Amino acid sequence: MPINILMPALSPTMEEGTLAKWNVKEGDEVASGDIIAEIETDKATMEFEAVDEGTVGKIVIAEGTDGVKVNELIAVLLEDGEDASAIGDAASAVEAKPAEAEKPAAAPAVEASPPAAAAPAPQGGDGKRIFATPLARRIAKDKGLDLSQIKGSGPHGRIVKADVENAQPGEATAPAAAAPAAKAAPASGPDTETVKKMYADRDYEEVNLDGMRKTIAARLTEAKQTVPHFYLRRDIELDALLAFRSKLNKSLAEKGTKLSVNDFIIKASALALQDVPDCNAVWAGDRVLKLKPSDVAVAVAIEGGLFTPVLRDADTRTLSALSSQMKDLAARARDRKLAPHEYQGGSFAISNLGMMGIENFDAVINPPHASILAVGAGVKKPVVTAAGAIEVATVMSVTLSVDHRVIDGALGAQFLAAIKGYLEDPMSMLV
């Protein structure tokens, strides 16, 4: 039976993408693990690997086509012994269900997974061929599962990864339930036509939203409407940190390393997450997940939107290592070359607009994170010392936006105090 290759969901927020390039043509032989296409998601351009082996029988979606829905048929692969006459039935089976093509399935026909070695398709006790992806076969073998006892949830009953992962030895499984369709962000304000009529007598340019801007709009609308935000504010004196940074940068000059204030903020936040572990958590629908490592996301502005690359295990990394990694991630973010695992995850984020002269602001939490730190510019201000004298100090205003479902006020205050403590005593970060 021909194998339908469907548009994959290459990121959690992807609903459609652009089929930027085909690396194969009709008639080409394909092996598991071959890069068959390049797909532009709402975040980046990703390589798409084949999971099955066979011959490209038909390319349904031409390269350069945008707006291709997740799970839409993009090509058909023929297995050994099949010819082009078998393609019609396979393609029409997908086309007969247009509504389903727009819904992300729990287990698409082509899985984004490490290449698996090709193996002959197993047969059941009745001699009938069992259709399963190579990855599903490998997992079944590792778990000691009988594929003939597993019901597939893929196209035409094909057994896929989710089916075998949810199965137990000796137990037949029902098809995995399809994931609910991604919901559009709730409408906010008047609709397009109503707004256009308001400005009918004015000169304007209409700008269509690209995939990234649509995703940002939907996620942040959802965040503001569903996450119960509250805000904690502190002023942090930076003079000790600035002096310490200057001394370190002189010693690191020969290595070509230059630490930024943001590098110290990342490190301080990572250590504070370890000091206040209840804040190192994410909201998971009906429960809280407490993370053990400090994985810190940092907002990076790019043309048309932003990325939040994640620095994993930031609490264990040196300042120079964090600085180098952050520069690399930021550069590749601006080129839209980040892989999904580099901008997904983390429990906490930093948004720094201080370098742009903004003194203070409130940031919107990026779900499922429990908090985000908005960082303002360091500004010379009069401060009252412990002795009661008035002095001039460099003061940075920060605001911690907190998800009240995960973090209560006193806990958030403890977390922010820990960040402040590290930044005002930077030597403590190295102990």
Side-chain angles (χ1 to χ4, degrees):
M1 183 180 295
I3 301 166
N4 288 328
I5 300 178
L6 310 181
M7 186 67 162
L10 298 177
S11 76
T13 58
M14 179 177 170
E15 296 180 10
E16 60 181 37
T18 298
L19 211 162
K21 180 183 178 183
W22 279 109
N23 294 331
V24 295
K25 59 183 183 297
E26 292 180 2
D28 284 356
E29 296 290 327
V30 172
S32 175
D34 286 353
I35 306 298
I36 60 173
E38 294 179 9
I39 294 171
E40 292 180 8
T41 72
D42 55 339
K43 293 285 189 181
T45 299
M46 307 289 296
E47 293 180 334
F48 181 36
E49 293 184 7
V51 172
D52 296 283
E53 58 181 5
T55 303
V56 180
K58 183 177 182 181
I59 290 178
V60 179
I61 302 295
E63 65 178 40
T65 304
D66 59 9
V68 183
K69 301 289 186 183
V70 167
N71 279 3
E72 184 174 342
L73 181 67
I74 60 174
V76 178
L77 201 63
L78 298 173
E79 296 189 285
D80 289 344
E82 294 177 333
D83 57 32
S85 63
I87 293 174
D89 293 338
S92 62
V94 175
E95 291 167 1
K97 301 178 181 180
E100 292 181 7
E102 296 182 3
K103 298 180 181 179
V110 180
E111 302 171 53
S113 56
Q123 293 184 338
D126 57 2
K128 292 184 179 180
R129 184 176 181 184
I130 298 173
F131 291 96
T133 67
L135 180 61
R137 295 172 197 158
R138 178 167 61 81
I139 295 174
K141 182 179 179 182
D142 292 343
K143 294 181 68 173
L145 297 173
D146 181 357
L147 285 174
S148 67
Q149 298 300 309
I150 298 176
K151 295 180 181 179
S153 62
H156 310 292
R158 191 176 188 82
I159 298 170
V160 295
K161 176 183 175 184
D163 301 324
V164 292
E165 283 189 332
N166 295 328
Q168 299 298 325
E171 178 183 289
T173 61
K183 295 180 180 178
S188 54
D191 62 26
T192 302
E193 293 306 315
T194 301
V195 175
K196 288 172 70 173
K197 288 177 182 177
M198 291 169 60
Y199 296 92
D201 62 340
R202 308 305 298 157
D203 186 21
Y204 64 81
E205 176 187 359
E206 191 167 330
V207 180
N208 291 323
L209 303 181
D210 61 13
M212 174 173 284
R213 182 49 58 184
K214 287 178 182 177
T215 300
I216 290 172
R219 283 180 59 78
L220 294 187
T221 298
E222 178 188 2
K224 244 339 196 178
Q225 292 181 344
T226 64
V227 177
H229 288 62
F230 72 92
Y231 306 94
L232 301 171
R233 312 181 199 281
R234 293 295 298 262
D235 283 343
I236 297 174
E237 295 185 23
L238 292 181
D239 294 286
L241 186 149
L242 294 175
F244 184 58
R245 169 177 169 262
S246 179
K247 185 180 295 186
L248 284 181
N249 279 341
K250 286 180 181 177
S251 64
L252 293 171
E254 292 183 0
K255 299 180 181 179
T257 299
K258 186 175 182 180
L259 303 176
S260 68
V261 172
N262 209 49
D263 297 329
F264 286 88
I265 296 171
I266 294 168
K267 181 69 173 180
S269 300
L271 293 173
L273 288 170
Q274 294 296 309
D275 293 346
V276 191
D278 286 343
C279 288
N280 192 17
V282 297
W283 179 254
D286 63 352
R287 68 199 64 192
V288 171
L289 305 184
K290 286 178 62 176
L291 280 69
K292 293 184 179 180
S294 291
D295 298 341
V296 178
V298 181
V300 175
I302 67 170
E303 185 177 353
L306 59 84
F307 273 99
T308 51
V310 179
L311 295 103
R312 299 191 174 201
D313 302 299
D315 56 305
T316 65
R317 302 174 72 85
T318 64
L319 282 162
S320 57
L322 286 173
S323 179
S324 176
Q325 185 184 13
M326 189 65 237
K327 287 181 175 68
D328 171 62
L329 289 170
R332 290 191 290 115
R334 294 185 184 102
D335 292 335
R336 299 197 181 196
K337 295 297 184 182
L338 292 179
H341 72 272
E342 293 178 307
Y343 58 79
Q344 294 171 9
S347 63
F348 164 85
I350 296 168
S351 180
N352 190 340
L353 293 179
M355 58 194 74
M356 298 181 182
I358 300 300
E359 293 189 24
N360 55 71
F361 67 104
D362 298 341
V364 179
I365 294 170
N366 184 25
H369 293 175
S371 59
I372 183 171
L373 187 71
V375 180
V379 179
K380 293 285 187 182
K381 292 182 179 180
V383 298
V384 180
T385 67
I390 297 178
E391 296 181 354
V392 175
T394 305
V395 178
M396 177 177 71
S397 175
V398 299
T399 301
L400 185 69
S401 303
V402 183
D403 183 344
H404 214 322
R405 297 171 300 181
V406 183
I407 301 172
D408 291 326
L411 188 63
Q414 185 182 350
F415 177 44
L416 189 52
I419 295 174
K420 174 181 170 72
Y422 282 117
L423 291 175
E424 292 190 339
D425 181 15
M427 281 289 291
S428 63
M429 293 189 225
L430 306 183
V431 177

